[in-house]
Amino acid sequence: MSFSFTTAGESHGRALVATIEGLPAGLPIDQDFINHELWRRQQGYGRGGRMKIETDTVQILTGVRHGETLGSPVAIMVENKDFKNWLEVMAAEKPATPPERDRKVIRPRPGHADLVGGMKYDRRDLRDILERASARETTMRVAVGAFAKLLLREFGVELASHVVQLGEISVAQPDVAWDDIKALYDDTMLRCADKDAEAAMIKRIDQAGIEEGDTLGGIFEVVAKGCVPGLGSHTSWLAKLDGQLAQAVMSIHAVKAVELGLGVANAKLPGSQVHDEIVYDAETHSFGRTANRAGGLEGGMTNGEELRVRGYLKPIATLRKRLRSIHIETKEPLEADFERSDVTAVPAAGVIGEAMVAQVLARAMREKFGGDSLKEMKRNFDGYVKQIAEY
Ligand code: EPS
């Protein structure tokens, strides 16, 4: 038994869709929660005009009845409100006459999928690449992630994220406690725990966006609290949860590096200052660690500490300050294409990071505890928790 999903949809097409397989039957589905997660992804200072057009709302098409999963594939959809402005350009049917404004893209943006995608798929209108390469796709990852979060919640696992760096501005104290991160869950600015740093980040976004026509990257951190020890496995490279998390988070648009725990800083330190020492609490009969520099993972398995995963984003590739490019037909040098864009999407990427970490954990939980119904899965889980307590 596993958990998997596929997304489909173009940024300015009719709708975005996803199918999810592997949810157990009998899982309560709270649509308000899913929509709230979608709302969270749309927040954040530095977003562009598109977010004023869209109010992402999920429609559940299959696999759920009377508020509970059936154990069958779940199909979901989010409509693109902007589609009404792109009816002719994005129509599935071949137009009888070419649209008045064809919105053809022939000036590939450096750092985007435009040029390589056009070459590989042999498309001469780079919109055929841009539409699917767009980070709009992450709407469905967040919707799927909400289903994964609803499953994880049944087993006491919660996720949240925060921004630790924007452009060159970092929080003063990077090890932010879970409660302080959780308190930012519905924040609409930068979900940054350090308010002085956040004020500086906002200024920097204004400077980059308004004055310079530029874009900014940064770093988000996702924390998952309440994971049972032993998700993932040391026995095979594909089974290692750290590898799976890296792949899942790296697949988010513009993420160029993934860090687990204090992985980057740890590379510069001697082992005695890196490894979290093991302690035992005789009263609660449980093992613990003196610190969590490993970010909750040892040997490719969760160790019961908070899971901490960071995603490093490069700046968005659509810039008002246009970079040099080449006309794909005439091969003349010109400036790259620009329609409209965000200045930064680091806070949104954190929400997407939560969704991707949630789906990796949901898959690991489904693989470990199986069960066709939630009840059966919980029975298996309880047996394992007892085994751990008796160890
Ligand atoms: C994106 C470009 C912008 C962003 C978009 C991602 O869209 P548009 O071209 O319509 O202005 O707003 O993000 C979303 C639509 C979203 O929902 O996150 C891109 O090129 O990646």
Side-chain angles (χ1 to χ4, degrees):
M1 184 46 70
S2 193
F3 173 93
S4 62
F5 73 95
T6 313
T7 74
E10 280 69 47
S11 181
H12 305 98
R14 183 178 300 277
L16 304 162
V17 297
T19 53
I20 311 167
E21 285 199 85
L23 286 168
L27 175 69
I29 297 303
D30 177 351
Q31 288 202 41
D32 291 341
F33 173 74
I34 302 167
N35 288 331
H36 187 70
E37 290 291 287
L38 293 174
W39 172 85
R40 289 180 65 231
R41 194 198 68 93
Q42 293 198 272
Q43 307 310 305
Y45 196 74
R47 292 284 254 158
R50 179 73 186 275
M51 287 306 96
K52 293 184 181 73
I53 299 173
E54 306 294 344
T55 329
D56 295 336
T57 316
V58 74
Q59 293 178 52
I60 300 178
L61 307 177
T62 72
V64 178
R65 181 165 172 256
H66 298 169
E68 284 191 3
T69 53
L70 302 176
S72 50
V74 172
I76 55 176
M77 176 170 88
V78 171
E79 282 182 40
N80 285 321
K81 283 195 180 169
D82 205 12
F83 179 58
K84 65 175 186 304
N85 304 316
W86 295 78
L87 284 172
E88 283 195 302
V89 175
M90 292 306 293
E93 307 77 29
K94 194 178 168 71
T97 50
E100 207 170 290
R101 190 175 166 212
D102 66 5
R103 307 194 75 154
K104 209 170 164 183
V105 179
I106 38 75
R107 300 177 290 176
R109 291 160 297 170
H112 220 287
D114 302 345
L115 180 58
V116 190
M119 290 162 74
K120 177 175 162 69
Y121 287 87
D122 195 21
R123 309 310 294 172
R124 296 305 170 111
D125 179 356
L126 300 179
R127 179 161 300 287
D128 290 350
I129 307 304
L130 170 167
E131 285 290 333
R132 182 62 186 156
S134 164
R136 177 91 187 125
E137 184 263 348
T138 60
T139 308
M140 298 323 283
R141 301 205 206 187
V142 170
V144 173
F147 280 82
K149 282 184 175 183
L150 288 172
L151 176 69
L152 294 170
R153 193 193 257 184
E154 297 288 330
F155 299 88
V157 179
E158 266 193 277
L159 293 100
S161 67
H162 64 126
V163 169
V164 293
Q165 190 173 316
L166 207 132
E168 69 279 24
I169 302 160
S170 312
V171 293
Q173 210 40 266
D175 50 340
V176 182
W178 164 260
D179 287 341
D180 297 331
I181 299 168
K182 190 67 208 297
L184 296 167
Y185 202 75
D186 292 332
D187 186 277
T188 56
M189 293 301 277
L190 295 178
R191 284 206 328 290
C192 180
D194 179 338
K195 291 301 156 195
D196 290 339
E198 187 176 67
M201 289 170 182
I202 288 168
K203 259 198 192 154
R204 185 69 189 91
I205 293 169
D206 287 342
Q207 186 194 356
I210 301 164
E211 293 169 32
E212 297 163 0
D214 219 328
T215 56
L216 295 167
I219 307 172
F220 64 81
E221 181 177 61
V222 175
V223 183
K225 195 177 163 59
C227 294
V228 75
L231 297 178
S233 174
H234 65 291
T235 56
S236 171
W237 69 271
L238 271 174
K240 284 178 173 261
L241 202 76
D242 42 12
Q244 293 178 15
L245 287 165
Q247 199 278 331
V249 175
M250 187 74 98
S251 76
I252 299 169
H253 303 68
V255 171
K256 291 295 132 199
V258 180
E259 180 181 19
L260 302 175
L262 298 181
V264 173
N266 287 351
K268 293 181 221 149
L269 297 171
S272 58
Q273 289 174 39
V274 168
H275 300 295
D276 310 313
E277 290 179 296
I278 300 169
V279 290
Y280 187 73
D281 185 335
E283 249 173 57
T284 58
H285 303 282
S286 57
F287 291 97
R289 298 290 191 285
T290 51
N292 184 22
R293 289 173 287 230
L297 291 156
E298 285 171 306
M301 294 171 279
T302 52
N303 64 5
E305 300 293 314
E306 286 170 4
L307 192 67
R308 291 202 173 229
V309 185
R310 287 179 176 198
Y312 290 57
L313 282 94
K314 68 176 181 180
I316 287 167
T318 310
L319 280 79
R320 191 153 49 81
K321 181 181 186 171
R322 297 173 187 222
L323 299 177
R324 278 185 301 171
S325 185
I326 297 286
H327 188 301
I328 57 164
E329 298 301 347
T330 67
K331 312 295 188 282
E332 296 289 325
L334 35 62
E335 289 177 329
D337 220 17
F338 176 80
E339 274 168 19
R340 110 194 121 184
S341 185
D342 306 324
V343 179
T344 189
V346 183
V351 178
I352 302 155
E354 290 171 34
M356 292 309 287
V357 171
Q359 71 86 13
V360 171
L361 292 175
R363 190 172 69 213
M365 293 283 289
R366 294 297 288 140
E367 281 169 1
K368 181 143 180 58
F369 303 113
D372 296 308
S373 67
L374 181 64
K375 197 169 149 190
E376 186 183 3
M377 188 180 174
K378 280 191 172 171
R379 203 162 59 225
N380 298 339
F381 177 81
D382 290 344
Y384 177 70
V385 169
K386 189 161 170 277
Q387 173 195 316
I388 296 257
E390 288 167 359
Y391 184 82

